[in-house]
Amino acid sequence: MRRLFPIVMTALTMAVTMAGPTIAADPTLSLPTYTPAYEPRTVDERGLWMEADEEERLLRDSPLRIREGKLEQYVRDVLCREVGAERCQSVRVYVMEVPEFNASMLPNGCMRVLTGLLLRARSEAELASVLGHEFGHFELRHGLTGFKAERRTKDRTAWLAILGAMSRTDITDTRISLLASFYRFTRDQEAAADQMGLRYMATSGYPARTAAEVWRQAMAEQDASEIGHGRTPRHSYVSGYFDTHPTNLNRAMALEAAAARMPGGGEARADEYRAAIAPYLPRLLAAQIKTYDVGATDFILASLAAQSGWTGELLFARAELYRARGNPRDLQMASIWFRDARAAGYAAPELDRDLGLTLLRNGQADEARKALNAYLAARPDASDATMIQTLVATEQ
Amino acid sequence: MNIPRSPALLALAALAATPALSNMLVPPGPRTGIANSRLSATPASEWNRLSHTDGKFTEVWTIDGDQLDKVTFFGGVARGKALLREVDRKHHPLPTVKASMLITDIPVLLETTYRIRGARQMTIDTQEPAMLGGHKAIRFTYHFTLDDEVRRKGEGLGALVDGKLYLVTYEAPALHFFDKDVARYRALAASITL
């Protein structure tokens, strides 16, 4: 054992020294210098932080915040795993119940994550790719540089107007060019944050290629939404003149190209992610269904089902989605999926109520009455029990 | 500053300061043709009818301002029509009244409409059978939050008559204001005839 120890230590030291310089020497993986407990340094930055502190107080006390369980802690853990425990110390995470695919970060380290992002992410790596992007904005001080760029543009535009008026010169083209250069600046910031997020992923072990998949998935959902609304889906590679973000296609391609030059990464941790989100899934699904975007919601459900199979929960959500739209064909399919959900083990009595109401709308009164009576038997004290009783008694 | 002294000039100045469509006092007593429909009511106390509406099927009444208490009449929303004005029909179309609707679908229609228009965490709390102007109706309560994050409570009374939706809702901040005027709303809703 004593002889073995030096050999093992030598091998370990070699492994560490070999692995270390590879990452350190790779310029694509270099991270900004980390300053613990960073404090704002200039008048502008102090002002921004003051505003951010106030905004954070509102977020902290917002009725939209999900305080139940340890969801915020989990999201922060994913970020910490990605950017490292030390950098993570400067961040507070607030999860807000808003069914939109988004997250944002204030200059003072306050991160706001919307539940729409949690519903769409399929693994910790997908969530981390968005969190890393936002953290990139924070660490690169984009809030401050963006504010300065905006003020600079406004100052120049104002001076231009004065000088133009004095010299009787038409300044319209120059003013538009100034504005366009500002929007170009914000797009460059987004691209820089994308690349920084990728570096956090690659250094943490989450597969860097996942970042591009997130945008591919977002485009596919957008297509489904457009088709659902009866329109033709389109994607452009080039951003518009006044777009604040690069196009999704542009981002996906840039991220794919950059990820290809980085280490392959390890586990995306999809199972761990599903387990952590499971207690909140019914709530997230219910909020998404009520967005009334059938195309996008059906796409999200199918994407979840591709991972876990069509569980009772997903079938119930799909039935509710089509029931809400309520065309005759929707009601037909909804009643089938309600029954499939029951067969797949979805046990809540509300399924009987919603199946009964669907059948009633579809003119199948006898079957409807059976389902509604089953609901009333299971939930005699429900807040809508007398309403349902009246329907059972009067609807033919 | 020169202040006009003659009554005619004063009246002219008052007119100039008033928008083209102004809010209007609703005195106690019978009132017909609410929301350009067959809805009639007999308010027992004074209300203010706001000049702005949320769509062509609506009429808004208030006592202290629609942020503090708001009664909305939805008068005869026809099949295929949305409850409120569509802000972004292309990307966020609103749900519409369907021929196969049950009265239990009225709260769902309101909730989905509100959520698309920006309400968060809207929940239907209770539902019970009721009568609206002699027709089978649903009375329901709900709560929601708008962008200002003020917790609001609401109560609605809706019916489907001849394929058209008639609904009256009352909404106010949960803190103090909802309870302050809910009795006046209930008296108003009870006086509705169709």
Side-chain angles (χ1 to χ4, degrees), chain A residues 62-64 97-98 100 229 231 287 290-292 325-327 357 360-361 383-384 386-387 390-391 394, chain B residues 90-91 93 95 98 100 102-105 111-112 115-116 120-121 125 127-129 136 138 149 151:
Chain A
S62 169
L64 300 181
E97 188 168 346
V98 179
E100 289 164 19
H229 287 138
R231 296 193 303 270
K290 285 163 187 164
T291 60
Y292 202 59
R325 189 167 66 179
N327 291 321
L357 293 173
L360 207 54
R361 283 184 73 174
S383 65
D384 57 358
T386 51
M387 189 67 241
T390 311
L391 272 184
T394 56
Chain B
K90 191 174 169 190
H91 297 101
K98 297 278 187 336
S100 62
L102 305 168
I103 53 174
T104 45
D105 293 317
E111 181 183 355
T112 312
R115 278 180 179 258
I116 294 170
R120 305 289 186 205
Q121 289 188 324
D125 296 316
Q127 303 181 40
E128 59 183 32
K136 272 191 301 181
I138 182 168
E149 299 205 341
R151 291 169 203 258

Side-chain angles (χ1 to χ4, degrees), chain A residues 199-212:
Chain A
R199 290 181 198 182
Y200 295 129
M201 289 194 79
T203 46
S204 68
Y206 282 129
R209 64 175 187 282
T210 313

Side-chain angles (χ1 to χ4, degrees), chain B residues 125-153:
Chain B
D125 296 316
T126 61
Q127 303 181 40
E128 59 183 32
M131 297 300 278
L132 177 66
H135 298 270
K136 272 191 301 181
I138 182 168
R139 179 181 295 116
F140 56 100
T141 59
Y142 51 98
H143 67 268
F144 63 103
T145 307
L146 296 175
D147 278 348
D148 57 13
E149 299 205 341
V150 174
R151 291 169 203 258
R152 288 184 162 77
K153 277 167 70 174

Side-chain angles (χ1 to χ4, degrees), chain B residues 15-32:
Chain B
L15 270 179
T18 315
L21 283 167
S22 58
N23 303 330
M24 187 188 283
L25 181 74
V26 180
R31 187 171 181 86
T32 57

Side-chain angles (χ1 to χ4, degrees), chain B residues 13-52:
Chain B
L15 270 179
T18 315
L21 283 167
S22 58
N23 303 330
M24 187 188 283
L25 181 74
V26 180
R31 187 171 181 86
T32 57
I34 298 172
N36 299 319
S37 70
R38 54 195 257 203
L39 272 178
S40 303
T42 312
S45 56
E46 284 184 348
W47 289 81
N48 299 291
R49 196 196 78 174
L50 297 188
S51 59
H52 79 259

